[in-house]
Amino acid sequence: NIHEISFDEAIDDALSNKNYRLAVRLLYLRSLKQLSDLNLINWKIEKTNTAYINELTNAGQREQFTVVTRQFEYVWYGDFPIDGQSYQRINNIFQEFKQSLS
């Protein structure tokens, strides 16, 4: 349940173990939680990432969320290799998205 995860702590744990893949997954889940908290999506565990993209009515938000979704899917489902430097680049994309919603 994304509403019960302490994301900052979980991300810090993943990073301390150099588990950058898990850290990216947690960044994505935190983005979903933020969208849900802002009532921009209706989060349900069985929904697809594309379903969440399609729920966004603001074109700019939808475009940015598509980018973060693609980054997550490359790393998590595509088994895209990731190191600390790659993680920082991906993290910056997530942070820009997070700030755009504030």
Side-chain angles (χ1 to χ4, degrees), residues 1-65:
N1 185 341
I2 63 171
H3 299 287
E4 297 176 1
I5 299 171
S6 173
F7 284 103
D8 290 339
E9 184 178 312
I11 291 167
D12 286 346
D13 286 347
L15 292 175
S16 69
N17 292 315
K18 297 189 185 324
N19 191 344
Y20 301 111
R21 190 169 172 258
L22 176 59
V24 170
R25 178 173 174 77
L26 292 165
L27 288 173
Y28 189 72
L29 292 174
R30 183 172 64 186
S31 296
L32 288 175
K33 180 184 182 310
Q34 186 176 15
L35 289 169
S36 177
D37 289 349
L38 294 169
N39 295 313
L40 298 173
I41 63 167
N42 181 15
W43 181 81
K44 292 194 188 310
I45 198 163
E46 69 275 359
K47 282 189 180 178
T48 65
N49 297 335
T50 302
Y52 293 122
I53 291 168
N54 291 334
E55 284 185 46
L56 294 172
T57 57
N58 178 290
Q61 290 171 342
R62 187 171 47 248
E63 184 177 324
Q64 282 187 297
F65 188 63

Side-chain angles (χ1 to χ4, degrees), residues 72-99:
F72 161 67
E73 288 178 346
Y74 284 160
V75 171
W76 192 253
Y77 298 115
D79 230 3
F80 187 77
I82 183 168
D83 58 14
Q85 186 176 6
S86 299
Y87 172 80
Q88 278 304 343
R89 184 183 53 79
I90 292 168
N91 182 46
N92 288 340
I93 294 168
F94 277 90
Q95 294 308 315
E96 287 174 18
F97 176 68
K98 181 180 177 183
Q99 289 174 358

